[in-house]
Each structure stands twice: as structure tokens, then as C-alpha cells.
Amino acid sequence: MKSPVLTKRLPGYTLTEILVVLVIIGILILLALPNLLPLITKAKSTEAKLQLEHLHSMEKNYFYEHSKYSTDLNDIGFIQEKLSTDGKDNRANYRITITSANNTGFTARATAVVDFNGNGTYNVWEIDQDKTLREVTPD
């Protein structure tokens, strides 16, 4: 004699129903993704702005001590985070460089190492001694 548990049908979803729902969710994501790419780029560019503002503070401190700006990140004590393209656990999306420095001013640049929206253009930001932050190349 069979157990009543084995003969009783339990309500549930079929594999086909689950696959249809997953396909619908996938289509909705594909429709929404182009609208979200500019927001993703904007959020990632916040990293560049914060790093450049931090570098600006360090350059100002260096200037107050040495009466000149430095072209060397190590001189001012700025540590470049490991770039996301250099390994799987690295997180920085921007390479920070000091493009010019003298006794009166400096210019620093943050260049994206990742093309955020896949159009072949890499985002670039710059800052100067007056803390003028500007986007040189939008992504």
C-alpha cells in the first residue's frame, strides 16, 4: 500500500513557467540598461573627483612646506589604488597622474582605465591649483 504523502499532488510551478518569467525579466533588464548606463558612468566618475580633490589637498600641503608643487605622487604622499585592470581584487577605475607642476601651479589628471559604456571613449578629469575640477573627456 502506498503512503498518502507519495500520492498527494503538491501545487507548484512547471519548468516552462519559470523559464518564461526569467525571459521576461531578462527582456526588462535589456530595456532598462541603456537608460542606466549614464547613471553608472556618473557614479564611477565620483571616484575620479574624490581622488583629485584629495590630491589637491596633498599638493597644497606640499606647497606650504616646500614653496613649490611636485610632479611626483610619492613626494606628496599620494598612494595610487591598484587599478581594476591589473587584477581581480583591484578596484580603482582611474589612473591618477600629475601632468605638470612648478612654483606657481599644478595640473593633475584622472584617466579611466575602463570604458564604462563601451563606446571606445575613456573618461578624463583634471584639477588645478585653484581646485578647478573639469571633465576633459566625457564618457
Side-chain angles (χ1 to χ4, degrees):
M1 182 157 181
K2 287 188 175 181
S3 167
V5 174
L6 296 177
T7 57
K8 184 179 177 187
R9 294 197 103 212
L10 297 173
Y13 297 105
T14 65
L15 181 60
T16 307
E17 292 170 329
I18 292 172
L19 288 175
V20 167
V21 169
L22 289 175
V23 167
I24 290 171
I25 290 171
I27 291 170
L28 290 174
I29 288 173
L30 287 175
L31 291 173
L33 194 59
N35 296 332
L36 295 176
L37 282 176
L39 293 174
I40 293 169
T41 301
K42 185 177 179 182
K44 299 236 184 216
S45 68
T46 302
E47 173 190 342
K49 295 176 195 176
L50 289 174
Q51 290 293 329
L52 287 175
E53 288 173 358
H54 178 62
L55 183 129
H56 175 268
S57 298
M58 297 181 95
E59 276 282 13
K60 282 294 186 182
N61 289 341
Y62 185 87
F63 178 78
Y64 294 141
E65 291 178 20
H66 300 92
S67 299
K68 66 177 182 174
Y69 293 102
S70 175
T71 57
D72 187 5
L73 294 174
N74 292 327
D75 284 350
I76 63 173
F78 185 87
I79 299 171
Q80 170 72 58
E81 293 289 324
K82 292 183 180 178
L83 300 173
S84 59
T85 54
D86 294 341
K88 71 174 190 173
D89 291 333
N90 302 339
R91 294 196 171 95
N93 293 307
Y94 287 87
R95 176 176 282 111
I96 308 297
T97 56
I98 300 172
T99 54
S100 66
N102 55 33
N103 293 345
T104 59
F106 78 94
T107 306
R109 179 173 279 197
T111 306
V113 295
V114 178
D115 183 11
F116 300 123
N117 59 8
N119 66 355
T121 305
Y122 291 86
N123 192 226
V124 178
W125 287 84
E126 278 187 353
I127 196 167
D128 63 14
Q129 70 282 349
D130 298 324
K131 207 174 184 178
T132 305
L133 187 64
R134 66 185 186 95
E135 189 174 26
V136 178
T137 308
D139 186 8

